C-alpha cells in the first residue's frame, strides 16, 4: 500500500512517500546531518526526563522534538536505498539540511526545483552545512551525472509524476499546484521567498494530501484561484511553514478544511494553533507524536504515531500497531462529494 512518512525533524520538514509503483519521493530534508553521538545524547536525555515526569503527559508537552529523526537512517530502516525524486519546496536551509547526505548515502534520480534563485546564505554560527547548499546548486544546474533536474511549475503534466510511461493518466499521483512563473519571478526578485514554494497535491486511493512547503499568502491566493476544487475538503494538510503563524492570513483553511493537519516542530508560541482551534480543525504536532505514518488504503487513510504515550492520552489501543510498532491513532475516510 502507498505510505507517507512525516518525520519528526527540527526546525524544518521532511516527508517520504512510498508509492504503489515502488518509487520513492522525498519532499525536503532536515536533520540529515545529525550524528550518532548527537542522537545518543538526545535519546538518553529524553529517557531520563521521561522517567522523571512521564514525558510531560500531564502538561500536553510530549517532548518528542528533543529526539529528532535522521531521515537518511530512517529511510534505510525501511529498506529504501534510493530516492527516485527529491522535491525541494524552496531554497531555505531548513528544507535542505542534509541534502548532500541524501545524495551521497541514498542517491537521487530526479531533482525538482521551482527555479527560485537567491544568494548563498552565510554559514558561520549556524547549524547548517555549506556542502548542502553547494550540493543544491550542483543538482539544480543539471550537471550532476545520473540526476535529472526538473523545474516544472503549476499545472505541469509529465512522466511518472502524474502521467504513466505509456502516456496514461495518474503516474505517482503528484500534481504541482504552485508556483507559476510570476510567483517564481517575484520571489527571486526580492519578494517573499516563501511564495516561490512548491505546493504539491498527492492524489491517492484513500484521499488527497497537500504538501504546502512554506507557502505564504500570494501562494494560497493563486492556488484557490486556479485549483480550488482540487484542494477543498482534503484529507491531510502538511502545514505550511511547519505551522508557524508567520504573520499570515489563514483564510485558505476555510476552503481547504483539512480533516487532519500535521505540524512540524517549533516553540508553541510561534505556532498558528489558534487558526486551527477557532475552526475546529484537528491537528497533530511532531512534538506530540514523533514520526507520523499515513498508510493509505481504498477509501481511507490510517494514521499511525511513533509516541504510544500520546496515542494512549487520546484513548488509542496501543496494541493496534503497524509493522514499525507505531500505534493506530485514527482512520480518515476519503471525502465523498454529495
Amino acid at each position: 500500500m502507498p505510505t507517507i512518512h512525516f518525520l519528526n525533524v527540527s526546525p524544518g520538514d521532511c516527508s517520504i512517500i512510498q508509492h504503489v509503483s515502488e518509487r520513492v519521493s522525498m519532499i525536503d530534508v532536515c536533520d540529515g546531518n545529525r550524528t550518532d553521538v548527537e542522537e545518543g545524547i538526545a535519546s538518553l536525555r529524553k529517557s531520563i526526563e521521561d522517567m522523571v515526569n512521564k514525558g510531560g503527559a500531564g502538561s500536553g508537552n510530549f517532548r518528542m522534538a528533543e529526539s529528532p529523526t535522521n531521515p537518511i537512517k530512517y529511510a534505510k530502516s525501511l529498506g529504501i536505498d534510493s530516492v527516485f525524486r527529491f522535491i525541494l519546496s524552496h531554497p531555505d536551509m531548513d528544507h535542505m539540511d542534509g541534502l548532500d547526505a541524501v545524495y551521497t548515502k541514498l542517491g537521487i534520480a530526479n531533482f525538482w526545483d521551482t527555479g527560485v534563485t537567491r544568494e548563498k546564505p552565510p554559514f558561520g554560527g549556524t547549524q547548517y552545512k555549506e556542502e548542502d547548499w553547494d550540493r543544491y546548486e550542483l543538482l539544480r544546474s543539471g550537471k550532476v551525472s545520473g540526476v535529472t533536474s526538473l523545474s516544472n511549475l503549476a499545472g505541469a503534466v509529465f512522466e511518472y509524476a502524474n502521467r504513466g510511461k505509456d502516456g496514461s493518466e495518474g503516474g505517482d499521483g503528484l500534481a504541482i499546484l504552485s508556483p507559476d512563473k510570476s510567483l517564481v519571478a517575484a520571489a527571486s526578485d526580492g519578494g517573499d521567498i516563501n511564495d516561490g514554494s512548491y505546493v504539491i497535491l498527492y492524489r491517492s486511493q484513500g484521499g488527497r494530501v497537500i504538501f504546502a512547503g512554506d507557502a505564504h499568502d500570494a501562494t494560497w491566493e493563486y492556488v484557490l484561484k486556479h485549483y480550488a476544487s482540487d484542494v477543498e475538503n482534503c484529507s491531510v494538510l502538511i502545514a505550511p511553514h511547519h505551522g508557524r503563524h508567520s504573520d499570515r492570513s489563514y483564510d485558505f483553511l476555510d476552503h481547504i478544511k483539512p480533516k487532519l493537519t500535521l505540524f512540524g516542530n517549533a516553540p508553541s508560541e510561534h505556532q498558528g494553533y489558534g487558526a486551527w482551534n477557532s475552526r475546529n480543525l484537528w491537528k497533530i504536532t511532531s512534538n506530540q507524536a514523533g514520526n507520523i505514518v499515513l498508510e493509505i488504503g481504498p477509501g481511507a487513510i490510517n494514521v499511525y504515531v511513533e509516541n504510544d504515550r500520546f496515542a494512549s492520552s487520546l484513548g488509542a489501543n496501543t496494541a493496534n500497531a503497524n509493522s514499525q510498532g507505531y500505534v493506530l491513532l485514527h482512520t480518515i475516510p476519503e471525502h465523498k462529494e454529495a
Side-chain angles (χ1 to χ4, degrees):
M1 70 179 70
T3 305
I4 299 171
H5 306 262
F6 181 68
L7 300 189
N8 175 31
V9 295
S10 181
D13 275 343
C14 182
S15 297
I16 297 172
I17 308 174
Q18 294 175 290
H19 299 276
V20 173
S21 64
E22 298 187 354
R23 291 184 282 265
V24 172
S25 298
M26 181 179 286
I27 304 176
D28 293 328
V29 67
C30 186
D31 278 324
N33 293 313
R34 286 181 63 82
T35 66
D36 291 341
V37 172
E38 289 173 324
E39 291 178 16
I41 292 172
S43 179
L44 177 60
R45 182 190 306 117
K46 183 173 179 298
S47 295
I48 293 171
E49 291 177 346
D50 284 351
M51 288 188 291
V52 172
N53 59 23
K54 305 300 182 185
S59 66
N61 180 4
F62 289 85
R63 312 180 74 91
M64 294 300 288
E66 297 175 13
S67 299
T69 295
N70 181 310
I72 292 92
K73 291 180 65 175
Y74 183 92
K76 287 182 176 293
S77 76
L78 298 174
I80 295 172
D81 56 10
S82 64
V83 174
F84 180 78
R85 63 176 67 85
F86 184 94
I87 303 173
L88 179 66
S89 64
H90 65 300
D92 271 346
M93 288 308 302
D94 57 346
H95 292 256
M96 60 170 110
D97 174 29
L99 179 58
D100 185 61
V102 175
Y103 173 78
T104 57
K105 296 181 181 180
L106 291 175
I108 296 171
N110 298 277
F111 180 75
W112 291 21
D113 172 70
T114 64
V116 169
T117 58
R118 66 183 312 180
E119 293 185 1
K120 185 175 186 176
F123 288 91
T126 75
Q127 71 183 73
Y128 303 117
K129 294 190 174 182
E130 191 170 3
E131 56 256 41
D132 289 325
W133 180 270
D134 293 342
R135 178 61 62 186
Y136 152 70
E137 289 194 324
L138 283 171
L139 289 168
R140 76 191 301 267
S141 74
K143 297 178 181 178
V144 178
S145 177
V147 181
T148 300
S149 181
L150 302 169
S151 293
N152 290 322
L153 298 176
V157 178
F158 55 110
E159 193 171 68
Y160 299 122
N162 46 21
R163 188 180 70 207
K165 188 174 179 63
D166 60 358
S168 61
E169 294 183 357
D172 283 336
L174 298 173
I176 301 173
L177 305 186
S178 190
D180 68 349
K181 289 183 178 179
S182 63
L183 286 169
V184 169
S188 300
D189 192 28
D192 190 333
I193 193 74
N194 296 323
D195 277 327
S197 176
Y198 270 133
V199 175
I200 305 292
L201 175 65
Y202 174 49
R203 292 186 176 94
S204 78
Q205 62 181 332
R208 290 163 295 141
V209 180
I210 301 171
F211 298 86
D214 277 3
H216 206 64
D217 293 345
T219 310
W220 289 110
E221 290 174 10
Y222 177 86
V223 170
L224 294 183
K225 179 179 179 180
H226 297 279
Y227 299 102
S229 62
D230 293 299
V231 298
E232 64 181 345
N233 300 308
C234 72
S235 293
V236 181
L237 169 67
I238 309 301
H241 212 184
H242 332 298
R244 293 185 180 93
H245 53 67
S246 309
D247 297 321
R248 62 169 313 136
S249 168
Y250 285 103
D251 290 348
F252 67 91
L253 290 173
D254 296 325
H255 181 85
I256 293 177
K257 298 178 182 176
K259 294 184 176 68
L260 170 64
T261 301
L262 304 183
F263 277 55
N265 285 315
S268 59
E269 64 269 21
H270 296 160
Q271 296 283 28
Y273 296 143
W276 274 260
N277 293 340
S278 64
R279 293 169 172 84
N280 198 30
L281 295 172
W282 184 36
K283 63 187 183 303
I284 299 174
T285 73
S286 295
N287 190 46
Q288 294 171 317
N291 298 321
I292 301 168
V293 175
L294 308 177
E295 293 188 357
I296 301 170
I301 298 177
N302 289 326
V303 182
Y304 292 86
V305 298
E306 177 188 14
N307 186 3
D308 56 0
R309 290 178 289 106
F310 170 62
S312 294
S313 75
L314 296 181
N317 179 1
T318 57
N320 196 350
N322 69 359
S323 60
Q324 294 173 269
Y326 292 6
V327 178
L328 177 63
L329 186 66
H330 187 70
T331 297
I332 303 172
E334 183 181 12
H335 176 75
K336 302 295 184 182
E337 298 297 335

